Amino acid sequence: MKKIAILGSTGSIGTQALDVIRAFPSHFQVSVLTASNNADQLILQALEFKPKIVVIVNESHYLYVKTSLQCLSTEVLCGREALQAAVELEEIDVVLNAVVGSAGLYPTVNAIRHGKDIALANKETLVVAGELVVDLVKKHGVKLLPVDSEHSAIFQCLTGEELNPIEKIYLTASGGPFRGRDCSFLKNVTREQALKHPNWSMGAKITIDSASLMNKGLEVIEAKWLFDLDADKIDVVVHPQSIVHSIVQFQDGSMKAQMGLPDMKLPIQYALTYPARLLNSFPRFDFMNYGSLTFEKPDLDTFRNLKMAYQALREGGNRACVLNAANEIVVDAFLNLEISFLGMSDIIEETLCQVKNNTKLHLDDYIAYDSESRIVARDLINKSKK
């Protein structure tokens, strides 16, 4: 039985991971549950799964959570340091990191240093500090198992192909709610329109990232570190039906694709059960329900975030860290009606111009550039409102 720590258990990925664990009670046991703010849902989860440790990051909820769980032997902790320390629990086999944003970096690093396998749904870990994290994975001999549907697809296609060189990978993108739209349309889109993803049910931040194609840009950077590929070997193709989750092309020209319905429980299950595939009752894809599967090129001129992500990947150093930090600030600002949809890309681009590049980085350097970039982006937003 695998002992699992779920970081971000009340979010979209975390709740679906618990659905998977419910489906296989003889295979998994929940050891740690953490949440940032959603105390009520965290309490309900803890009462059901009875973990060893519960962490509520927002310290103002600590007494409420602790009092609500006093009937259990569960240890209740609070704060970011507790989030990082919780992954050190000796019994943990796998840490599923579903924390949103760069806040997921430190607990991932700490878990790796303590020999835990990582099921990674927090793509920002590799976007912000990919080189550092990959080096730590090699040093400590742990598994880094992708949970994003696209990277899980690549990972599955590469199983048994370790000796065969990759010519190219294709990350598929739904295109989001604004596929085919031009800048004249995008300059007036609302928060509500951007939050209506056509295929996937996700949290607000990743849904906005999907609408702007930043999510795909972050996935390109993540793929570089997961699969040790240069930028010119990573292509993005728009696939509106979201059935082909990604494709690998080998040096002989042959291609392997991983397919299935757009359901995050599938890649979550694979990451938790790897290398086994357990029988489940999830809905199956039926070719007869789809008249065609289509593919298009992404519009890099309209959706500039994807173009900036490729540029950040090619320039290296702190570029991806700056890109991600600025993006987290602008998405929050867009959700709070402070800037326009297209204004997000403007602020990110200007932040990249103002924060100097540095190619020699340690963990503290990444955190410092993350902080600096957030300040710069926030100042730019404030100035744009005057």
Side-chain angles (χ1 to χ4, degrees), residues 330-380:
V330 300
V331 169
D332 184 69
F334 175 72
L335 288 170
N336 286 300
L337 308 180
E338 295 181 86
I339 58 174
S340 67
F341 186 82
L342 291 179
M344 292 192 292
S345 298
D346 295 335
I347 299 296
I348 295 169
E349 185 174 43
E350 184 58 29
T351 303
L352 284 163
C353 291
Q354 291 195 23
V355 180
K356 293 182 179 180
N357 196 4
N358 184 358
T359 57
K360 296 180 180 179
L361 301 167
H362 300 286
L363 181 58
D364 289 343
D365 298 318
Y366 287 111
I367 300 305
Y369 280 115
D370 178 86
S371 178
E372 178 186 350
S373 303
R374 290 170 188 275
I375 293 170
V376 170
R378 185 69 253 176
D379 287 345
L380 288 168

Side-chain angles (χ1 to χ4, degrees), residues 104-378:
L105 174 59
Y106 263 124
T108 300
V109 168
N110 202 33
I112 293 170
R113 286 173 172 166
H114 284 82
K116 314 299 183 183
D117 289 339
I118 307 295
L120 190 64
N122 173 258
K123 61 176 62 66
E124 290 84 359
T125 288
L126 291 178
V127 171
V128 172
E131 185 174 10
L132 180 148
V133 172
V134 168
D135 287 346
L136 283 173
V137 166
K138 293 176 182 176
K139 178 181 177 180
H140 293 277
V142 302
K143 297 184 183 71
L144 185 60
L145 304 163
V147 171
D148 272 348
S149 61
E150 296 82 1
H151 301 99
S152 176
I154 298 297
F155 184 70
Q156 293 179 59
C157 289
L158 291 176
T159 299
E161 302 281 3
E162 291 78 11
L163 299 180
N164 293 319
I166 299 170
E167 186 168 276
K168 190 178 287 288
I169 67 171
Y170 297 89
L171 299 176
T172 56
S174 69
F178 306 133
R179 178 177 65 89
R181 299 293 192 173
D182 59 17
C183 288
S184 63
F185 176 88
L186 294 179
K187 69 180 181 181
N188 295 315
V189 300
T190 66
R191 176 182 61 184
E192 288 69 30
Q193 288 174 306
L195 286 171
K196 290 181 180 179
H197 195 281
N199 298 334
W200 296 92
S201 176
M202 306 175 290
K205 196 269 183 182
I206 192 172
T207 303
I208 299 302
D209 282 347
S210 180
S212 71
L213 290 196
M214 178 58 88
N215 189 53
K216 204 54 51 179
L218 300 181
E219 288 177 2
V220 168
I221 298 169
E222 186 181 8
K224 183 264 186 297
W225 299 112
L226 281 171
F227 307 114
D228 191 23
L229 297 171
D230 294 332
D232 61 359
K233 289 190 174 183
I234 307 170
D235 271 6
V236 171
V237 59
V238 175
H239 170 49
Q241 297 81 22
S242 296
I243 297 300
V244 176
H245 297 304
S246 277
I247 305 165
V248 177
Q249 180 173 305
F250 297 97
Q251 66 175 2
D252 64 352
S254 63
M255 305 173 81
K256 290 173 73 173
Q258 190 269 331
M259 302 171 63
L261 293 172
D263 184 349
M264 281 305 301
K265 290 193 289 292
L266 291 173
I268 292 169
Q269 177 181 317
Y270 191 69
L272 294 181
T273 63
Y274 175 81
R277 292 184 182 274
L278 302 184
L279 177 65
N280 61 45
S281 59
F282 303 153
R284 268 44 176 175
F285 170 71
D286 184 345
F287 277 98
M288 297 303 102
N289 293 332
Y290 289 81
S292 63
L293 300 178
T294 60
F295 304 89
E296 310 163 7
K297 286 185 177 181
D299 182 353
L300 298 183
D301 293 325
T302 301
F303 296 92
R304 293 154 47 208
N305 286 353
L306 180 55
K307 180 185 286 187
M308 285 190 284
Y310 268 108
Q311 183 178 348
L313 178 56
R314 292 188 173 97
E315 292 179 0
N318 68 12
R319 296 293 82 189
C321 176
V322 174
L323 176 91
N324 178 74
N327 181 64
E328 289 188 22
I329 294 297
V330 300
V331 169
D332 184 69
F334 175 72
L335 288 170
N336 286 300
L337 308 180
E338 295 181 86
I339 58 174
S340 67
F341 186 82
L342 291 179
M344 292 192 292
S345 298
D346 295 335
I347 299 296
I348 295 169
E349 185 174 43
E350 184 58 29
T351 303
L352 284 163
C353 291
Q354 291 195 23
V355 180
K356 293 182 179 180
N357 196 4
N358 184 358
T359 57
K360 296 180 180 179
L361 301 167
H362 300 286
L363 181 58
D364 289 343
D365 298 318
Y366 287 111
I367 300 305
Y369 280 115
D370 178 86
S371 178
E372 178 186 350
S373 303
R374 290 170 188 275
I375 293 170
V376 170
R378 185 69 253 176

Side-chain angles (χ1 to χ4, degrees), residues 18-35:
L18 290 174
D19 286 340
V20 171
I21 290 171
R22 286 188 190 96
F24 301 102
S26 63
H27 287 80
F28 303 112
Q29 181 177 326
V30 177
S31 295
V32 175
L33 293 172
T34 83

